[in-house]
Amino acid sequence: MMQKLRAAWTHGVNDIIARLIQRYNNGNRMTQLLLIRHAVNDFVKTGKLAGWTPGVHLNDEGKAQAEALGTRLVDTPIQWLYASPLDRTMETAAAIQQHHPQLSIIQHADVGEVRYGDWEGKSIAALQTRKMWHVVQEYPSRAYFPNGETMRGVQNRAVDAIEALAAQHPRELVVVVSHADLIKMVMAHYLGTHLDNFQRIVIAPASISILQLGYGRPYVVSMNDTAHIQQMERERKAARDTASTVAR
């Protein structure tokens, strides 16, 4: 199936990544940043807030998503590969690195998950009864986590990290594997959207969002691109349909 996926992207003239590479090769030399959310894991089934909890690995579906992601980016001229230090982000980055063995995965704590402090590992159902939970949902710019970070601080941390990478790698193509809320906050910043509205942005597992940063205005090229996941699901359906036909 992965060979079919690669063929789909190799010949897919309408693919946003292919168009990005074409622009990049034609002299559009702003720093290209691909912000990628890690693939899925089973911790969400526990009903607890993961945060920096160690040992949260990709499940089988997450591994398949990460493999599809890596195949999507096989011909992308990635020059730097950064990832949050957590297991789920490092494993997603490893699926990309598999097709780019010349790259090392550079751990970057400043694109790591929100530090939830005393809330980390706690039941989400129990947390929803707290007043601060509703502040987090409705007015995140005023929210803070006991013995953890403020939401404003998280956005500042993430945006500062992205700006530093753009300055460190001018006119290069950089991949950053991070987390949903971090990517939402970064995209909100570059869209000029207030932090209180950042949850209106959708960032799905294994999705790709693209920024272009240079000396002038920033450009949001794409957000929440999951075409590779959709292609994987189409291939699965086709395989099931073929198997069903043969069984008849």
Side-chain angles (χ1 to χ4, degrees):
M1 184 173 73
M2 286 304 117
Q3 289 180 337
K4 292 182 180 179
L5 282 172
R6 179 171 182 177
W9 303 128
T10 299
H11 301 291
V13 294
N14 292 323
D15 181 29
I16 185 66
I17 303 298
R19 297 200 301 273
L20 170 68
I21 295 169
Q22 184 177 19
R23 288 198 299 270
Y24 186 82
N25 291 335
N26 287 342
N28 184 359
R29 301 306 299 273
M30 300 175 75
T31 299
Q32 320 290 322
L33 293 125
L34 276 60
L35 308 184
I36 295 172
R37 181 184 173 185
H38 63 79
V40 298
N41 60 82
D42 284 332
F43 194 86
V44 293
K45 297 178 182 179
T46 68
K48 297 179 180 179
L49 195 61
W52 285 72
T53 301
V56 179
H57 298 281
L58 301 185
N59 58 19
D60 289 342
E61 179 65 12
K63 291 174 183 177
Q65 290 179 344
E67 187 177 357
L69 171 67
T71 301
R72 173 87 181 276
L73 299 176
V74 66
D75 294 320
T76 304
I78 302 169
Q79 292 162 291
W80 299 93
L81 177 56
Y82 289 87
S84 157
L86 298 173
D87 293 318
R88 54 196 183 273
T89 41
M90 291 295 293
E91 290 167 2
T92 303
I96 300 170
Q97 185 196 35
Q98 179 180 349
H99 299 284
H100 301 272
Q102 78 281 7
L103 297 177
S104 297
I105 303 173
I106 304 171
Q107 294 188 14
H108 199 325
D110 285 345
V111 298
E113 182 60 286
V114 178
R115 294 190 180 275
Y116 293 112
D118 296 344
W119 285 25
E120 187 172 291
K122 296 292 194 300
S123 163
I124 292 175
L127 292 173
Q128 288 175 337
T129 65
R130 302 190 182 189
K131 292 181 179 179
M132 185 53 66
W133 178 271
H134 300 286
V135 176
V136 170
Q137 300 303 314
E138 301 297 332
Y139 303 105
S141 63
R142 300 186 63 209
Y144 64 91
F145 300 100
N147 294 312
E149 294 182 288
T150 66
M151 295 293 272
R152 293 191 314 278
V154 176
Q155 185 181 45
N156 289 338
R157 161 166 68 83
V159 171
D160 285 349
I162 294 302
E163 287 289 339
L165 290 176
Q168 186 177 347
H169 305 298
R171 300 176 301 281
E172 294 186 304
L173 199 153
V174 181
V175 167
V176 179
V177 184
S178 185
H179 305 268
D181 280 354
L182 270 288
I183 297 173
K184 290 179 187 180
M185 291 180 189
V186 168
M187 301 309 285
H189 171 81
Y190 288 108
L191 287 168
T193 299
H194 195 278
L195 178 60
D196 286 342
N197 297 324
F198 91 102
Q199 291 288 17
R200 299 180 184 183
I201 298 171
V202 176
I203 299 294
S207 64
I208 303 170
S209 300
I210 303 174
L211 292 173
Q212 291 182 339
L213 299 181
Y215 291 108
R217 70 167 64 91
Y219 292 92
V220 175
V221 179
S222 70
M223 280 199 306
N224 196 41
D225 182 343
T226 57
H228 46 289
I229 305 301
Q230 297 169 38
Q231 179 69 19
M232 178 186 73
E233 292 170 351
R234 284 193 292 269
E235 293 290 344
R236 284 177 174 172
K237 183 178 184 302
R240 289 195 301 269
D241 292 345
T242 298
S244 177
T245 301
V246 171
R248 295 173 188 170

